[in-house]
Amino acid sequence: MTVRAPQLIAGLARTFRWGWLANVFLWTTIWTMPVLVGLITREFFDNLEGEIGFSITTLVVLMSAYGLGRITVMVIAMHNDVHFMFRVGALQRRNMFARILTLPGAQAIEAAPGEIITRFREDVEHVEETTSWTVDMVGAVVFSVVAVSILMTIDAGMTVLVFLPLVVVIFLAERAGTAIRKYREAAREATGKVTEALGEAFGSVQSIKVAGAERSIVDHLSVLNDERRHLM
């Protein structure tokens, strides 16, 4: 059964819901914290001429507290994210291996061994990263909404002028997604060929030496690696 990427990511987020929610909270905080710097700086300059307001000492204290708080949140967030991604990857590899063991021996693996190794390694890593990136997406959206809201209260026209090109770039990047996915699939196949060739070479060392085929094997691996490097 084929599972679509959004369903897979949503399922992993539900399985580790507390880790994912903690990631959302922590990384959204990291994404939105720079807004505080702008607000503090604005308040300082707005009160420069007033007798009562922010002094240099107040500004230094607030900025120091901001820096310390941001570092603390980042350390906690990275610690949580590492544990979250490790559990996501371990669950995927465990389920994939369990599925292989439940199939008949003659049908357990349809692809080449090299491609299977690539799926266990790189495909799982891609899913880990994508699941983690959903957290950054939430943080970026919250940050954008807050930042744009503040900018709109200052100068709506200038805000639209600045962000309109960004919207166009995002649209073009989304349109290029199909081509990027094709390149990724080709790169995965090329990596699988390299892994498979290495496995066959290490498994046939004696035969290669007897046949004196060391040079041809090295040349073959060089060709495969060049193809992989071109696609990566």
Side-chain angles (χ1 to χ4, degrees), residues 100-112:
I100 290 174
L101 294 179
T102 59
L103 296 173
Q107 301 176 0
I109 302 178
E110 297 179 356

Side-chain angles (χ1 to χ4, degrees), residues 5-24 84-85 87-89 91-92 127-128 130-135 138:
Q7 293 176 317
L8 176 60
I9 294 170
L12 291 170
R14 284 194 302 269
T15 302
F16 304 102
R17 62 173 60 87
W18 294 116
W20 187 81
L21 289 174
N23 252 2
V24 169
F84 173 73
M85 291 181 65
R87 285 172 170 80
V88 167
L91 178 64
Q92 291 179 87
V127 175
E128 289 176 15
T130 304
T131 307
S132 181
W133 287 342
T134 59
V135 174
V138 174

Side-chain angles (χ1 to χ4, degrees), residues 19-35:
W20 187 81
L21 289 174
N23 252 2
V24 169
F25 173 76
L26 291 168
W27 288 100
T28 299
T29 302
I30 291 172
W31 272 92
T32 53
M33 283 184 76
V35 175

Side-chain angles (χ1 to χ4, degrees), residues 24-210:
V24 169
F25 173 76
L26 291 168
W27 288 100
T28 299
T29 302
I30 291 172
W31 272 92
T32 53
M33 283 184 76
V35 175
L36 295 175
V37 177
L39 295 176
I40 293 170
T41 306
R42 184 186 66 177
E43 194 68 21
F44 172 75
F45 284 110
D46 286 346
N47 290 276
L48 273 180
E49 298 180 357
E51 295 182 359
I52 300 176
F54 276 17
S55 64
I56 295 295
T57 303
T58 305
L59 179 64
V60 170
V61 170
L62 289 176
M63 286 298 187
S64 300
Y66 164 81
L68 181 61
R70 184 173 174 82
I71 291 172
T72 302
V73 175
M74 289 184 69
V75 170
I76 297 173
M78 287 187 287
H79 181 271
N80 183 78
D81 189 53
V82 168
H83 282 267
F84 173 73
M85 291 181 65
F86 178 82
R87 285 172 170 80
V88 167
L91 178 64
Q92 291 179 87
R93 292 186 176 97
R94 180 260 182 197
N95 289 343
M96 291 167 64
F97 192 63
R99 176 58 178 167
I100 290 174
L101 294 179
T102 59
L103 296 173
Q107 301 176 0
I109 302 178
E110 297 179 356
E115 185 177 351
I116 295 298
I117 293 174
T118 301
R119 291 181 182 179
F120 269 84
R121 183 183 60 226
E122 296 187 3
D123 286 11
V124 170
E125 289 176 356
H126 287 312
V127 175
E128 289 176 15
E129 293 169 357
T130 304
T131 307
S132 181
W133 287 342
T134 59
V135 174
D136 289 318
M137 188 182 303
V138 174
V141 169
V142 174
F143 169 75
S144 300
V145 171
V146 173
V148 171
S149 300
I150 294 173
L151 290 174
M152 290 291 286
T153 61
I154 299 172
D155 191 330
M158 182 61 67
T159 302
V160 173
L161 184 63
V162 169
F163 280 92
L164 187 59
L166 179 61
V167 174
V168 174
V169 170
I170 293 174
F171 173 77
L172 294 176
E174 177 63 26
R175 297 290 294 178
T178 302
I180 293 173
R181 282 190 292 271
K182 289 181 179 179
Y183 275 113
R184 179 186 171 279
E185 291 175 359
R188 185 182 67 181
E189 292 178 2
T191 302
K193 290 179 180 178
V194 173
T195 306
E196 183 180 0
L198 283 171
E200 292 177 352
F202 283 123
S204 309
V205 173
Q206 188 173 1
S207 300
I208 293 172
K209 285 189 173 183
V210 170

